[in-house]
Amino acid sequence: HGLTGKVQLAANPAERELAELIGQASYYVCLSRHEGFGIAPIEAMSAGLTPVLSDIPPFRNLVEKSDMGVLVDTQQLEQAATQIADLHVQGEEAYAARRSAAQHFVQQYDWRHIADRYVQIYQDLVGGERVTRYV
């Protein structure tokens, strides 16, 4: 398939190796058939990777909300390859903009923001009384 030297497989990498591999990557590919929420693509986007995902509801929602990435119909892989190639040939400036936009988008999922939401829910449940947050 012409992928020799272009794709590297790393089975069960240690944390340090995984960080190095992510630092060398441009895309995160996940063609799952089922996902509950899809935290892995969000983690990948936090590293600046462009998501290439199967067209299932949680991934479709993420791509639509973030306005970035590629949804892959596994019955039309040539179309997906064309979409990825189109992203790739846009060059370094477009890649840097996508990387920054991805990292900015996923900040809403940062635990600091999520913790604040939980605190607000608890405050609402106890009638607006102050709830002390421990972080």
Side-chain angles (χ1 to χ4, degrees):
H1 295 286
L3 297 175
T4 302
K6 296 176 182 156
V7 174
Q8 178 180 354
L9 299 178
N12 301 312
E15 279 190 45
R16 172 174 259 144
E17 182 184 5
L18 181 59
E20 290 172 9
L21 291 168
I22 289 172
Q24 298 170 19
S26 300
Y27 305 96
Y28 169 78
V29 179
C30 181
L31 300 179
S32 292
R33 293 182 187 160
H34 306 284
E35 291 287 335
F37 174 69
I39 194 70
I42 289 170
E43 291 172 340
M45 290 172 76
S46 74
L49 305 183
T50 300
V52 176
L53 307 168
S54 51
D55 190 2
I56 59 175
F59 291 168
R60 188 177 321 113
N61 183 50
L62 179 64
V63 169
E64 288 172 359
K65 285 174 65 176
S66 68
D67 196 30
M68 69 181 58
V70 173
L71 290 173
V72 174
D73 178 345
T74 56
Q75 302 302 312
Q76 298 181 9
L77 293 178
E78 285 186 30
Q79 179 185 11
T82 299
Q83 290 174 292
I84 296 165
D86 288 347
L87 283 176
H88 199 66
V89 298
Q90 291 176 1
E92 289 297 317
E93 190 173 310
Y95 169 73
R98 270 196 321 274
R99 180 179 174 85
S100 178
Q103 291 173 320
H104 178 74
F105 173 80
V106 297
Q107 286 179 2
Q108 65 185 303
Y109 299 102
D110 186 291
W111 274 110
R112 290 172 291 205
H113 303 295
I114 301 299
D116 289 341
R117 289 184 196 158
Y118 275 101
V119 168
Q120 184 60 54
I121 290 169
Y122 289 133
Q123 287 175 336
D124 292 346
L125 289 172
V126 296
E129 295 177 26
R130 179 160 171 71
V131 176
T132 304
R133 181 174 130 197
Y134 299 96
V135 178

